[in-house]
Amino acid sequence: GGRAPPLPAAAAAMAPSLEAGLLLLLLVLPPASAGLSAYFGTKSRYEEVNPHLVSDPLSLGPGAGGSLPASCTPLQLRAVLRHGTRYPTAGQVRRLGELHSRLLRRAAGAADCPAAAALADWPMWYEESLDGRLAPQGRRDMEQLARRMAARFPALFAARRRLALASSSKHRCLQSGAAFRRGLGPTLDFGGDEVEVEVNDSLMRFFDHCAKFMALVENDAAMWQVNAFKEGPEMKKVLEKVAGALCLPVEELSADLVQVAFLTCSYELAIKNVTSPWCSLFSEEDAKVLEYLNDLKQYWKRGYGYDINSRSSCLLFQDIFQHLDKAVEESKSSKPISSPLIVQVGHAETLQPLLVLMGYFKDDEPLLANNYAQQAERKFRSGRIVPYAANLVFVLYHCDHVNSSQEEYQVQLLLNEKLLSFHHSNETTSTYTELKDYYKDILENCHFKEECELPQVNATAVDEL
């Protein structure tokens, strides 16, 4: 984003001192961790993908006009959101506490190690009880997203339209759903202020209900590429550098602890908008390596690494199309659309497999422990795809003055408020018929129960041994 606007002369004159003015400017300008902030993966601020929001959180950004013919009216909006900015999980807080107390012990006798001393002085304010809860910034993420969506699709968010809100059972998702509703304000009468947020884990946490995924992917063996990268030359270099800065023997640090330090830098930026002293341990090159470590995990656990990762999301994918189908049917028989707005709040782990199922962000080569350099320009960068408050939106339109009945119903897809091109056409608008045809195989032949069943082991054979 451009430079911060200069302070008005009157304000400058009133500033008690030059320091105060500088402090004010520091608060307005993007923090110095901006050099690292492009590499925080799933812990990235939403502003990384939409930088215009830094100066105006309600801006619809460049080219917000959309590209639909004037004769198209939106009938239905189906949004799958990731929750807003959250606190670290209990496990991350525990590891950070461990690293911090190690530095406290080290700093006690090491006046000659400024980085360790600075971090020992850093107030460890995270508590395990915060365990992944929504941060105040996360509520703002959701309220502002709701206001931008309503501004982009005013006809759909008009008063007295029905809003169906669903969420995963996790506290941060329920709170994100409530914040999204609040962002729409009292002017939109969705049947009273408190819209019920329906808990739907079978759609928002489908991975928990998939035995095959839990058995094949939720284990250390499935993550061997990730573990190999932790031991590889790129991570070793980062480890040695951080150990050197902290005056610690390199044996005392692990890839996991270094990652915790890096994530703390990301949390402080996302939650408090400050540049944490933890950031000073890393260069941009280090950040790229740590981003790759995060992306490797996403790739093998939620991405193209294993088929079941995305196949397990077909229930959600089919549900989206069932609602679109219903809206088309209602429109054809001139009935009011029963569900014009469907907003569901889940996780990075909800959105990532869905986008993979649809074939987005696929690289020619898989992400591996030994091809870091070749993957510098990869499409699969989780921070660009599923930052905090990430959102995938299907919009169904009814169009008049068309040449064929096929063109009467059209669809657009937005990821993080930007139009996404469809695979079958490379266009940002598709007829609904063509879109369904392109995904016909998933819509008709992906059966969650069968996909997620574990192959039965023949028990009798074991007895015979």
Side-chain angles (χ1 to χ4, degrees):
R3 286 197 302 244
L7 291 170
M14 285 176 352
S17 68
L18 184 62
E19 283 93 273
L22 278 173
L23 185 67
L24 198 65
L25 269 177
L26 284 174
L27 293 172
V28 177
L29 288 168
S33 49
L36 306 180
S37 63
Y39 307 105
F40 289 149
T42 50
K43 307 293 181 284
S44 297
R45 303 183 300 170
Y46 190 66
E47 288 79 4
E48 295 305 319
V49 294
N50 285 314
H52 58 270
L53 297 176
V54 174
S55 53
D56 178 4
L58 296 179
S59 158
L60 297 185
S67 58
L68 264 193
S71 61
C72 294
T73 321
L75 289 183
Q76 185 182 64
L77 178 145
R78 170 72 175 260
V80 184
L81 319 179
R82 181 190 179 193
H83 57 76
T85 304
R86 65 164 174 83
Y87 291 113
T89 59
Q92 286 159 335
V93 173
R94 246 193 322 277
R95 281 195 290 276
L96 175 60
E98 183 191 323
L99 181 59
H100 191 242
S101 48
R102 206 172 284 188
L103 292 176
L104 282 172
R105 290 197 299 275
R106 165 77 35 184
D112 55 346
C113 196
L119 287 170
D121 282 347
W122 173 81
M124 168 65 185
W125 62 277
Y126 296 100
E127 292 167 11
E128 286 186 37
S129 61
L130 289 170
D131 193 21
R133 287 186 169 248
L134 197 67
Q137 177 58 45
R139 283 196 274 282
R140 285 192 289 275
D141 292 338
M142 286 292 140
E143 286 174 9
Q144 289 161 355
L145 175 63
R147 289 174 67 181
R148 291 192 304 271
M149 260 190 209
R152 201 182 293 270
F153 301 105
L156 280 177
F157 285 85
R160 282 182 282 290
R161 300 302 296 267
R162 183 168 166 266
L163 168 68
L165 257 182
S167 161
S168 110
S169 57
K170 291 284 182 192
H171 198 263
R172 56 183 169 273
C173 296
L174 287 162
Q175 283 199 322
S176 291
F180 184 91
R181 168 67 194 88
R182 266 200 312 280
L184 297 175
T187 47
L188 295 167
D189 173 27
F190 292 110
D193 189 43
E194 285 312 302
V195 169
E196 263 313 289
V197 180
E198 174 211 348
V199 171
N200 191 334
D201 277 345
S202 66
L203 289 184
M204 293 297 100
R205 294 182 65 84
F206 48 78
F207 39 89
D208 281 349
H209 301 260
C210 185
K212 190 174 183 182
F213 171 78
M214 298 302 278
L216 295 183
V217 184
E218 280 286 7
N219 63 61
D220 222 31
M223 293 298 110
W224 71 275
Q225 292 288 345
V226 180
N227 296 326
F229 188 72
K230 285 179 182 176
E231 305 294 322
E234 295 88 0
M235 275 303 294
K236 274 215 163 63
K237 211 166 126 188
V238 176
L239 229 65
E240 282 162 7
K241 200 188 131 192
V242 172
L246 295 176
C247 312
L248 285 171
V250 74
E251 305 73 64
E252 272 195 41
L253 276 185
S254 65
D256 289 345
L257 283 177
V258 167
Q259 205 176 13
V260 164
F262 184 60
L263 288 181
T264 305
C265 165
S266 78
Y267 280 121
E268 305 265 280
L269 178 65
I271 295 167
K272 292 179 150 185
N273 199 24
V274 298
T275 299
S276 169
W278 291 97
C279 302
S280 65
L281 296 174
F282 304 100
S283 67
E284 192 172 350
E285 198 41 60
D286 303 331
K288 288 178 183 177
V289 172
L290 287 155
E291 178 197 29
Y292 192 69
L293 177 59
N294 185 357
D295 285 349
L296 260 183
K297 184 179 164 190
Q298 288 293 318
Y299 183 88
W300 288 97
K301 214 171 189 171
R302 309 292 176 183
Y304 288 99
Y306 298 101
D307 261 356
I308 189 61
N309 297 350
S310 60
R311 297 293 285 183
S312 59
S313 75
C314 67
L315 204 62
L316 173 58
F317 188 69
Q318 290 162 348
D319 187 75
I320 289 169
F321 279 84
Q322 281 156 11
H323 280 102
L324 293 168
D325 279 348
K326 189 176 177 199
V328 168
E329 288 312 309
E330 287 170 337
S331 161
K332 280 181 174 168
S333 53
S334 308
K335 290 181 185 155
I337 307 300
S338 49
S339 301
L341 292 173
I342 304 172
V343 175
Q344 299 168 309
V345 191
H347 305 263
E349 295 84 355
T350 313
L351 271 171
Q352 188 79 75
L354 186 62
L355 285 160
V356 168
L357 186 72
M358 294 176 73
Y360 285 101
F361 308 107
K362 187 171 195 198
D363 293 289
D364 296 336
E365 293 295 320
L367 274 61
L368 303 169
N370 63 3
N371 66 359
Y372 167 72
Q374 293 96 290
Q375 293 290 11
E377 299 298 316
R378 66 189 177 279
K379 295 176 191 154
F380 194 91
R381 287 186 68 198
S382 57
R384 298 267 159 254
I385 307 168
V386 285
Y388 293 124
N391 49 89
L392 179 66
V393 177
F394 290 76
V395 189
L396 175 70
Y397 294 89
H398 177 262
C399 303
D400 297 320
H401 317 303
V402 289
N403 302 324
S404 69
S405 60
Q406 284 245 350
E407 290 167 24
E408 208 179 321
Y409 295 96
Q410 306 203 16
V411 186
Q412 284 189 327
L413 199 55
L414 294 98
L415 177 65
N416 301 329
E417 299 173 78
K418 294 186 194 73
L419 286 169
L420 209 49
S421 297
F422 291 102
H423 279 308
H424 58 276
S425 62
N426 251 343
E427 305 283 335
T428 55
T429 305
S430 166
T431 68
Y432 185 51
T433 319
E434 277 180 345
L435 182 64
K436 277 186 70 173
D437 198 50
Y438 181 72
Y439 288 116
K440 189 178 171 177
D441 186 52
I442 302 170
L443 291 171
E444 291 178 6
N445 303 320
C446 183
H447 304 292
F448 182 81
K449 195 167 167 291
E450 285 83 349
E451 300 283 344
C452 286
E453 256 174 2
L454 275 175
Q456 289 298 312
V457 179
N458 189 342
T460 52
V462 181
D463 297 339
E464 285 162 12
L465 293 175

